[in-house]
Amino acid sequence: MTKDIAAAASMRLPNAVPAGASAPLRTLPPILTVVVPTYNERQNLRELVNRLHVALDGVNWEMVFVDDDSPDGTSALAKSLSRRDSRIRCLRRVGRRGLSGACIEGILSSAAPYVAVIDGDLQHDETLLPKMLTELREDRCEIVVGSRFVEGGAADAGFNATRQVISKLGRRFAQAVLRTAVKDTMSGFFMLRREVVEDAAPQLCPEGFKILADILASSPETTRVKELGYEFRQRHAGVSKFDAKVALDFLGLIVSKLTRGVVPVSFVSFLLVGGVGVVLHLAALKVALLAGLTFFAAQTLATLVAMACNFVVNNLTTYRNARLRGWAWLRGLAMFCGICSLSALANIGVATWLFEHDQTWWAAGLAGIVMGATWNYAVSARLVWRK
Ligand code: GDD
Ligand code: MN
């Protein structure tokens, strides 16, 4: 009997039933928890469950869907599957979004010795799971990564050309910064001894997409990692959740890890979004002043440039869950500019008054920006993106 089976058997709570009471119906506790983060994956659930039953035949496993309150009703379906199959659980998280956070909570909800994370869209090859489990059970490592970039692995089918390039850049970056020899640091498919995450949990960042990179960065250097190749498939149904916010959060993760957690992940995207607006505003102001416009006209133009830029960036990042597209995008832009124009009146008024008193163009410009930003945020969140 291997160590883990002995451990699982000893968890059978032999003394938990008081004398005289009838023994509850108990089976061996699971040896493996498969965590599946989901956001709008309703159409993929049944197929995934069926495939896990086949792939993990003979293993005492359970699965946890961690769903961020998907509008398509993923959690309702997961719970109805769970009523018919005691191996299935579903954790519904409300008011939160994030792949990493979902994985962390799913893993921490487990009491099994081994935990796997696999995407809900069938891009990862579930038939690799038994081999991963064997590596861990035979104590050859603490983390097994399903890898697209070692022998037997392939990445071509799963991503389009643009995403391949982004993925490659991110991988190089992560390898250098996180100083790891792991080839597929960006993999969302892995299995580990549960203690690895129990120990690293306080250091892990729940924001973001790249939970494996974070686990690798937050674990002791002595942690043994093994990669097993698999072919990354095309998504079964639905669409990818990768977007600009995910990419920004990844930069944030790297900075956060480099500074040992002193700089929080969201600070980087905050700085970038705000910073881009401020830089564009000041640049437009300078150009307009050079072109001979009055300060009043230049600040007006700069404010309009910053406004449009702010709308575009916020629509892609901050409000990605309520992202406007097509006509709604145009309507939103118009409404956003309307709201911002009201605050711009105050902005331009304050800035011009300050400039007339002091002549420091950038200080006057900045004061106007601060005035306007507060109103813009409060009103546009309610009216444009209806939050
Ligand atoms: N709970 C929750 N919350 N789940 C999420 C969220 C979220 O905010 N965002 C995405 N997911 C779920 C999806 O429903 C899916 O099951 C899984 O996480 C992966 O999301 P995809 O949208 O399919 O990502 P991808 O295919 O572009 O990238 C995936 O595969 C890559 C290769 O392994 C991710 O796992 C990447 O991290 C990975 O590099
Ligand atoms: Mn996917």
PDB file of all heavy atoms in Angstrom, residues 41 119-124 158-159 163 209 232-237 239-242, ligand 2:
ATOM      1  N   GLU A  41     -19.069  28.465 -18.998  1.00  0.00           N
ATOM      2  CA  GLU A  41     -18.648  27.203 -19.629  1.00  0.00           C
ATOM      3  C   GLU A  41     -19.784  26.178 -19.613  1.00  0.00           C
ATOM      4  O   GLU A  41     -19.544  24.971 -19.693  1.00  0.00           O
ATOM      5  CB  GLU A  41     -17.430  26.603 -18.905  1.00  0.00           C
ATOM      6  CG  GLU A  41     -16.202  27.480 -18.856  1.00  0.00           C
ATOM      7  CD  GLU A  41     -15.515  27.677 -20.204  1.00  0.00           C
ATOM      8  OE1 GLU A  41     -15.973  27.112 -21.207  1.00  0.00           O
ATOM      9  OE2 GLU A  41     -14.519  28.431 -20.226  1.00  0.00           O
ATOM     10  N   ASP A 119      -8.656  23.309 -17.149  1.00  0.00           N
ATOM     11  CA  ASP A 119      -9.649  24.252 -17.666  1.00  0.00           C
ATOM     12  C   ASP A 119     -10.960  23.536 -17.987  1.00  0.00           C
ATOM     13  O   ASP A 119     -10.962  22.341 -18.289  1.00  0.00           O
ATOM     14  CB  ASP A 119      -9.121  24.955 -18.924  1.00  0.00           C
ATOM     15  CG  ASP A 119      -8.059  25.993 -18.586  1.00  0.00           C
ATOM     16  OD1 ASP A 119      -7.864  26.257 -17.381  1.00  0.00           O
ATOM     17  OD2 ASP A 119      -7.434  26.529 -19.521  1.00  0.00           O
ATOM     18  N   GLY A 120     -12.033  24.323 -17.997  1.00  0.00           N
ATOM     19  CA  GLY A 120     -13.348  23.734 -18.242  1.00  0.00           C
ATOM     20  C   GLY A 120     -13.727  23.645 -19.703  1.00  0.00           C
ATOM     21  O   GLY A 120     -14.824  23.205 -20.031  1.00  0.00           O
ATOM     22  N   ASP A 121     -12.827  24.064 -20.607  1.00  0.00           N
ATOM     23  CA  ASP A 121     -13.212  24.129 -22.019  1.00  0.00           C
ATOM     24  C   ASP A 121     -12.627  22.994 -22.857  1.00  0.00           C
ATOM     25  O   ASP A 121     -12.660  23.056 -24.082  1.00  0.00           O
ATOM     26  CB  ASP A 121     -12.795  25.478 -22.615  1.00  0.00           C
ATOM     27  CG  ASP A 121     -11.296  25.732 -22.496  1.00  0.00           C
ATOM     28  OD1 ASP A 121     -10.592  24.838 -21.970  1.00  0.00           O
ATOM     29  OD2 ASP A 121     -10.829  26.800 -22.916  1.00  0.00           O
ATOM     30  N   LEU A 122     -12.053  21.996 -22.180  1.00  0.00           N
ATOM     31  CA  LEU A 122     -11.516  20.784 -22.824  1.00  0.00           C
ATOM     32  C   LEU A 122     -10.283  21.041 -23.677  1.00  0.00           C
ATOM     33  O   LEU A 122      -9.946  20.237 -24.543  1.00  0.00           O
ATOM     34  CB  LEU A 122     -12.602  20.083 -23.669  1.00  0.00           C
ATOM     35  CG  LEU A 122     -13.887  19.775 -22.888  1.00  0.00           C
ATOM     36  CD1 LEU A 122     -15.039  19.535 -23.824  1.00  0.00           C
ATOM     37  CD2 LEU A 122     -13.673  18.585 -21.983  1.00  0.00           C
ATOM     38  N   GLN A 123      -9.608  22.163 -23.441  1.00  0.00           N
ATOM     39  CA  GLN A 123      -8.354  22.415 -24.185  1.00  0.00           C
ATOM     40  C   GLN A 123      -7.221  21.552 -23.637  1.00  0.00           C
ATOM     41  O   GLN A 123      -6.256  21.264 -24.328  1.00  0.00           O
ATOM     42  CB  GLN A 123      -7.972  23.893 -24.107  1.00  0.00           C
ATOM     43  CG  GLN A 123      -8.833  24.764 -25.003  1.00  0.00           C
ATOM     44  CD  GLN A 123      -8.184  26.109 -25.262  1.00  0.00           C
ATOM     45  OE1 GLN A 123      -8.319  27.022 -24.459  1.00  0.00           O
ATOM     46  NE2 GLN A 123      -7.499  26.236 -26.371  1.00  0.00           N
ATOM     47  N   HIS A 124      -7.320  21.206 -22.355  1.00  0.00           N
ATOM     48  CA  HIS A 124      -6.281  20.382 -21.732  1.00  0.00           C
ATOM     49  C   HIS A 124      -6.623  18.900 -21.874  1.00  0.00           C
ATOM     50  O   HIS A 124      -7.800  18.538 -21.864  1.00  0.00           O
ATOM     51  CB  HIS A 124      -6.152  20.758 -20.258  1.00  0.00           C
ATOM     52  CG  HIS A 124      -5.714  22.182 -20.047  1.00  0.00           C
ATOM     53  ND1 HIS A 124      -6.073  22.925 -18.950  1.00  0.00           N
ATOM     54  CD2 HIS A 124      -4.946  22.994 -20.822  1.00  0.00           C
ATOM     55  CE1 HIS A 124      -5.538  24.132 -19.040  1.00  0.00           C
ATOM     56  NE2 HIS A 124      -4.859  24.203 -20.171  1.00  0.00           N
ATOM     57  N   GLY A 158      -4.255  25.159 -30.201  1.00  0.00           N
ATOM     58  CA  GLY A 158      -5.088  25.840 -29.213  1.00  0.00           C
ATOM     59  C   GLY A 158      -5.227  27.338 -29.356  1.00  0.00           C
ATOM     60  O   GLY A 158      -6.253  27.911 -29.000  1.00  0.00           O
ATOM     61  N   PHE A 159      -4.187  28.011 -29.862  1.00  0.00           N
ATOM     62  CA  PHE A 159      -4.208  29.473 -29.896  1.00  0.00           C
ATOM     63  C   PHE A 159      -4.049  29.994 -31.317  1.00  0.00           C
ATOM     64  O   PHE A 159      -3.352  29.386 -32.127  1.00  0.00           O
ATOM     65  CB  PHE A 159      -3.055  30.038 -29.062  1.00  0.00           C
ATOM     66  CG  PHE A 159      -3.302  30.008 -27.577  1.00  0.00           C
ATOM     67  CD1 PHE A 159      -2.236  29.944 -26.690  1.00  0.00           C
ATOM     68  CD2 PHE A 159      -4.595  30.085 -27.063  1.00  0.00           C
ATOM     69  CE1 PHE A 159      -2.454  29.934 -25.316  1.00  0.00           C
ATOM     70  CE2 PHE A 159      -4.813  30.084 -25.695  1.00  0.00           C
ATOM     71  CZ  PHE A 159      -3.735  30.009 -24.820  1.00  0.00           C
ATOM     72  N   ARG A 163      -2.154  35.198 -30.254  1.00  0.00           N
ATOM     73  CA  ARG A 163      -2.079  34.678 -28.894  1.00  0.00           C
ATOM     74  C   ARG A 163      -0.802  33.849 -28.701  1.00  0.00           C
ATOM     75  O   ARG A 163      -0.223  33.841 -27.619  1.00  0.00           O
ATOM     76  CB  ARG A 163      -3.351  33.860 -28.621  1.00  0.00           C
ATOM     77  CG  ARG A 163      -3.514  33.362 -27.219  1.00  0.00           C
ATOM     78  CD  ARG A 163      -3.845  34.443 -26.206  1.00  0.00           C
ATOM     79  NE  ARG A 163      -3.607  33.926 -24.852  1.00  0.00           N
ATOM     80  CZ  ARG A 163      -4.492  33.274 -24.138  1.00  0.00           C
ATOM     81  NH1 ARG A 163      -5.709  33.092 -24.608  1.00  0.00           N
ATOM     82  NH2 ARG A 163      -4.184  32.813 -22.930  1.00  0.00           N
ATOM     83  N   PHE A 209      -4.415  35.492 -14.011  1.00  0.00           N
ATOM     84  CA  PHE A 209      -4.724  34.327 -14.828  1.00  0.00           C
ATOM     85  C   PHE A 209      -3.697  33.215 -14.616  1.00  0.00           C
ATOM     86  O   PHE A 209      -3.956  32.073 -14.914  1.00  0.00           O
ATOM     87  CB  PHE A 209      -4.662  34.782 -16.293  1.00  0.00           C
ATOM     88  CG  PHE A 209      -5.805  34.312 -17.159  1.00  0.00           C
ATOM     89  CD1 PHE A 209      -7.115  34.609 -16.815  1.00  0.00           C
ATOM     90  CD2 PHE A 209      -5.576  33.613 -18.333  1.00  0.00           C
ATOM     91  CE1 PHE A 209      -8.165  34.210 -17.617  1.00  0.00           C
ATOM     92  CE2 PHE A 209      -6.617  33.205 -19.156  1.00  0.00           C
ATOM     93  CZ  PHE A 209      -7.922  33.513 -18.795  1.00  0.00           C
ATOM     94  N   PHE A 232      -2.150  20.707 -26.690  1.00  0.00           N
ATOM     95  CA  PHE A 232      -3.143  21.735 -26.368  1.00  0.00           C
ATOM     96  C   PHE A 232      -4.189  21.743 -27.478  1.00  0.00           C
ATOM     97  O   PHE A 232      -3.856  21.907 -28.646  1.00  0.00           O
ATOM     98  CB  PHE A 232      -2.408  23.082 -26.299  1.00  0.00           C
ATOM     99  CG  PHE A 232      -3.191  24.212 -25.699  1.00  0.00           C
ATOM    100  CD1 PHE A 232      -3.894  24.054 -24.513  1.00  0.00           C
ATOM    101  CD2 PHE A 232      -3.194  25.464 -26.308  1.00  0.00           C
ATOM    102  CE1 PHE A 232      -4.589  25.120 -23.948  1.00  0.00           C
ATOM    103  CE2 PHE A 232      -3.889  26.528 -25.752  1.00  0.00           C
ATOM    104  CZ  PHE A 232      -4.583  26.355 -24.568  1.00  0.00           C
ATOM    105  N   ARG A 233      -5.462  21.532 -27.082  1.00  0.00           N
ATOM    106  CA  ARG A 233      -6.501  21.392 -28.115  1.00  0.00           C
ATOM    107  C   ARG A 233      -7.246  22.707 -28.340  1.00  0.00           C
ATOM    108  O   ARG A 233      -7.064  23.662 -27.614  1.00  0.00           O
ATOM    109  CB  ARG A 233      -7.507  20.328 -27.662  1.00  0.00           C
ATOM    110  CG  ARG A 233      -6.868  18.979 -27.436  1.00  0.00           C
ATOM    111  CD  ARG A 233      -7.909  17.925 -27.145  1.00  0.00           C
ATOM    112  NE  ARG A 233      -8.489  18.053 -25.828  1.00  0.00           N
ATOM    113  CZ  ARG A 233      -8.641  17.039 -24.964  1.00  0.00           C
ATOM    114  NH1 ARG A 233      -8.247  15.828 -25.280  1.00  0.00           N
ATOM    115  NH2 ARG A 233      -9.198  17.238 -23.800  1.00  0.00           N
ATOM    116  N   GLN A 234      -8.129  22.669 -29.313  1.00  0.00           N
ATOM    117  CA  GLN A 234      -9.002  23.826 -29.517  1.00  0.00           C
ATOM    118  C   GLN A 234     -10.086  23.801 -28.454  1.00  0.00           C
ATOM    119  O   GLN A 234     -10.476  22.742 -27.981  1.00  0.00           O
ATOM    120  CB  GLN A 234      -9.660  23.722 -30.886  1.00  0.00           C
ATOM    121  CG  GLN A 234      -8.655  23.894 -31.980  1.00  0.00           C
ATOM    122  CD  GLN A 234      -9.234  24.692 -33.140  1.00  0.00           C
ATOM    123  OE1 GLN A 234     -10.427  24.956 -33.197  1.00  0.00           O
ATOM    124  NE2 GLN A 234      -8.377  25.068 -34.051  1.00  0.00           N
ATOM    125  N   ARG A 235     -10.573  24.962 -28.111  1.00  0.00           N
ATOM    126  CA  ARG A 235     -11.679  25.101 -27.164  1.00  0.00           C
ATOM    127  C   ARG A 235     -12.896  24.339 -27.690  1.00  0.00           C
ATOM    128  O   ARG A 235     -13.184  24.385 -28.882  1.00  0.00           O
ATOM    129  CB  ARG A 235     -11.948  26.596 -27.043  1.00  0.00           C
ATOM    130  CG  ARG A 235     -13.029  26.995 -26.155  1.00  0.00           C
ATOM    131  CD  ARG A 235     -13.048  28.501 -26.052  1.00  0.00           C
ATOM    132  NE  ARG A 235     -12.636  28.911 -24.713  1.00  0.00           N
ATOM    133  CZ  ARG A 235     -13.406  28.790 -23.652  1.00  0.00           C
ATOM    134  NH1 ARG A 235     -14.614  28.276 -23.764  1.00  0.00           N
ATOM    135  NH2 ARG A 235     -12.970  29.170 -22.474  1.00  0.00           N
ATOM    136  N   HIS A 236     -13.611  23.648 -26.816  1.00  0.00           N
ATOM    137  CA  HIS A 236     -14.773  22.861 -27.216  1.00  0.00           C
ATOM    138  C   HIS A 236     -15.932  23.779 -27.633  1.00  0.00           C
ATOM    139  O   HIS A 236     -16.313  23.838 -28.773  1.00  0.00           O
ATOM    140  CB  HIS A 236     -15.168  21.975 -26.037  1.00  0.00           C
ATOM    141  CG  HIS A 236     -16.196  20.942 -26.356  1.00  0.00           C
ATOM    142  ND1 HIS A 236     -15.979  19.931 -27.248  1.00  0.00           N
ATOM    143  CD2 HIS A 236     -17.457  20.768 -25.899  1.00  0.00           C
ATOM    144  CE1 HIS A 236     -17.060  19.170 -27.327  1.00  0.00           C
ATOM    145  NE2 HIS A 236     -17.974  19.671 -26.525  1.00  0.00           N
ATOM    146  N   ALA A 237     -16.482  24.536 -26.680  1.00  0.00           N
ATOM    147  CA  ALA A 237     -17.547  25.507 -27.012  1.00  0.00           C
ATOM    148  C   ALA A 237     -17.246  26.796 -26.267  1.00  0.00           C
ATOM    149  O   ALA A 237     -16.428  26.813 -25.357  1.00  0.00           O
ATOM    150  CB  ALA A 237     -18.905  24.951 -26.577  1.00  0.00           C
ATOM    151  N   VAL A 239     -16.139  30.982 -25.668  1.00  0.00           N
ATOM    152  CA  VAL A 239     -14.992  31.832 -26.054  1.00  0.00           C
ATOM    153  C   VAL A 239     -14.000  31.981 -24.905  1.00  0.00           C
ATOM    154  O   VAL A 239     -14.359  31.809 -23.744  1.00  0.00           O
ATOM    155  CB  VAL A 239     -15.467  33.256 -26.460  1.00  0.00           C
ATOM    156  CG1 VAL A 239     -16.203  33.219 -27.770  1.00  0.00           C
ATOM    157  CG2 VAL A 239     -16.332  33.873 -25.364  1.00  0.00           C
ATOM    158  N   SER A 240     -12.756  32.334 -25.275  1.00  0.00           N
ATOM    159  CA  SER A 240     -11.697  32.524 -24.279  1.00  0.00           C
ATOM    160  C   SER A 240     -11.962  33.776 -23.447  1.00  0.00           C
ATOM    161  O   SER A 240     -12.575  34.722 -23.913  1.00  0.00           O
ATOM    162  CB  SER A 240     -10.354  32.645 -24.979  1.00  0.00           C
ATOM    163  OG  SER A 240      -9.383  33.116 -24.070  1.00  0.00           O
ATOM    164  N   LYS A 241     -11.489  33.756 -22.214  1.00  0.00           N
ATOM    165  CA  LYS A 241     -11.667  34.917 -21.332  1.00  0.00           C
ATOM    166  C   LYS A 241     -10.398  35.757 -21.257  1.00  0.00           C
ATOM    167  O   LYS A 241     -10.293  36.668 -20.444  1.00  0.00           O
ATOM    168  CB  LYS A 241     -12.061  34.466 -19.919  1.00  0.00           C
ATOM    169  CG  LYS A 241     -13.540  34.105 -19.739  1.00  0.00           C
ATOM    170  CD  LYS A 241     -13.884  32.855 -20.439  1.00  0.00           C
ATOM    171  CE  LYS A 241     -15.330  32.549 -20.651  1.00  0.00           C
ATOM    172  NZ  LYS A 241     -15.482  31.197 -21.223  1.00  0.00           N
ATOM    173  N   PHE A 242      -9.414  35.410 -22.111  1.00  0.00           N
ATOM    174  CA  PHE A 242      -8.174  36.186 -22.128  1.00  0.00           C
ATOM    175  C   PHE A 242      -8.461  37.568 -22.718  1.00  0.00           C
ATOM    176  O   PHE A 242      -9.105  37.683 -23.746  1.00  0.00           O
ATOM    177  CB  PHE A 242      -7.131  35.459 -22.984  1.00  0.00           C
ATOM    178  CG  PHE A 242      -5.826  36.188 -23.076  1.00  0.00           C
ATOM    179  CD1 PHE A 242      -4.850  35.975 -22.119  1.00  0.00           C
ATOM    180  CD2 PHE A 242      -5.578  37.093 -24.094  1.00  0.00           C
ATOM    181  CE1 PHE A 242      -3.641  36.657 -22.191  1.00  0.00           C
ATOM    182  CE2 PHE A 242      -4.381  37.770 -24.171  1.00  0.00           C
ATOM    183  CZ  PHE A 242      -3.404  37.556 -23.214  1.00  0.00           C
TER     184      PHE A 242
HETATM  185 MN    MN B   2      -9.249  27.907 -22.940  1.00  0.00          MN
END
